[in-house]
Amino acid sequence: EPEVTQTPSHQVTQMGQEVILRCVPISNHLYFYWYRQILGQKVEFLVSFYNNEISEKSEIFDDQFSVERPDGSNFTLKIRSTKLEDSAMYFCASRLQGVWDEQFFGPGTRLTVL
Amino acid sequence: DAKTTQPNSMESNEEEPVHLPCNHSTISGTDYIHWYRQLPSQGPEYVIHGLTSNVNNRMASLAIAEDRKSSTLILHRATLRDAAVYYCISLRAGSYQLTFGKGTKLSVIP
């Protein structure tokens, strides 16, 4: 069964450093998402991406964040200058096409900012 | 998206049915009701969704009240693997994002 994959599973970085989180969505899916979950808290939407552009973003997704689909398979989330409060699990998700199609989530990347 | 209200936690015995309730009294006519679950240390996983009619799939059933102000996710025979946080989400037409609440933490007792 096809699945969303994410690398790395755990990333440790120093405050102020740039990080790139990588995701490989399911191959024929057209919509891509990033969510995050701070330990013990709710899953929060960050951004959705379709047709090579951002379709929706939350207030969390400020100028420090960017997304890119550099080739036909990868979908990346970049945090330009990490802060302590960026420590969280980051989940990538993809959706086939229809607005009511389910989102398939990856296993997540745990980001720890020291 | 309409606000949803779920109990914080529920318990079930293994191999018994589980009914997980959700209130969404402000739902609009075109909002779909989606259920996702999150097993420990994993990403969310789609369970089921519906609009007006009751829905069945291999994982669960979804019973939607006639006035659409509430719904119930039904797991027909709970297994230990079903222990997870279950999220009821009202998805507004034209919106792409899922808005997760705190969900219901389901514990399954062997």
Side-chain angles (χ1 to χ4, degrees):
Chain A
E1 188 171 318
E3 58 182 16
V4 176
T5 59
Q6 292 186 242
T7 54
S9 57
H10 189 191
Q11 173 92 47
V12 181
T13 189
Q14 295 290 327
M15 190 169 56
Q17 294 296 304
E18 174 184 287
V19 295
I20 297 176
L21 309 183
R22 291 185 165 80
C23 167
V24 178
I26 294 172
S27 64
N28 60 339
H29 284 192
L30 300 180
Y31 294 83
F32 313 111
Y33 305 83
W34 284 100
Y35 293 81
R36 80 172 186 189
Q37 186 174 31
I38 295 170
L39 185 64
Q41 298 189 24
K42 297 185 285 188
V43 177
E44 300 174 290
F45 167 79
L46 293 178
V47 66
S48 62
F49 192 84
Y50 169 71
N51 200 26
N52 279 320
E53 59 183 33
I54 291 173
S55 45
E56 281 184 308
K57 62 181 181 179
S58 71
E59 290 178 356
I60 302 168
F61 195 87
D62 60 22
D63 292 344
Q64 292 299 312
F65 291 88
S66 62
V67 289
E68 194 178 33
R69 188 153 161 83
D71 52 41
S73 59
N74 290 286
F75 180 51
T76 61
L77 174 69
K78 182 194 290 187
I79 308 175
R80 224 177 310 278
S81 176
T82 50
K83 302 189 277 279
L84 295 176
E85 53 265 37
D86 293 327
S87 295
M89 281 291 285
Y90 287 81
F91 296 108
C92 172
S94 69
R95 173 166 67 86
L96 179 56
Q97 182 170 359
V99 66
W100 310 123
D101 286 337
E102 63 265 37
Q103 293 185 23
F104 290 81
F105 284 77
T109 292
R110 183 190 300 178
L111 176 65
T112 302
V113 182
L114 302 176
Chain B
D1 298 332
K3 181 175 164 54
T4 60
T5 305
Q6 300 177 252
N8 289 333
S9 62
M10 290 184 66
E11 264 186 7
S12 172
N13 293 318
E14 195 177 9
E15 298 190 5
E16 288 189 357
V18 184
H19 290 234
L20 296 162
C22 179
N23 286 322
H24 29 78
S25 57
T26 61
I27 197 168
S28 75
T30 55
D31 292 354
Y32 271 73
I33 300 149
H34 285 240
W35 284 81
Y36 282 75
R37 71 180 185 181
Q38 188 173 22
L39 277 63
S41 302
Q42 294 191 28
E45 174 187 35
Y46 168 80
V47 178
I48 201 166
H49 76 276
L51 182 63
T52 55
S53 306
N54 294 344
V55 184
N56 300 295
N57 67 18
R58 64 177 178 83
M59 287 181 72
S61 295
L62 177 60
I64 302 171
E66 203 168 316
D67 63 7
R68 295 199 350 112
K69 292 184 186 303
S70 65
S71 60
T72 301
L73 178 70
I74 302 164
L75 307 178
H76 295 286
R77 285 181 73 232
T79 69
L80 296 178
R81 197 195 172 274
D82 291 322
V85 179
Y86 287 78
Y87 300 99
C88 167
I89 299 170
S90 165
L91 190 58
R92 177 171 49 88
S95 172
Y96 303 106
Q97 59 176 280
L98 295 172
T99 302
F100 290 84
K102 293 183 180 178
T104 296
K105 183 175 183 179
L106 175 67
S107 301
V108 180
I109 303 165

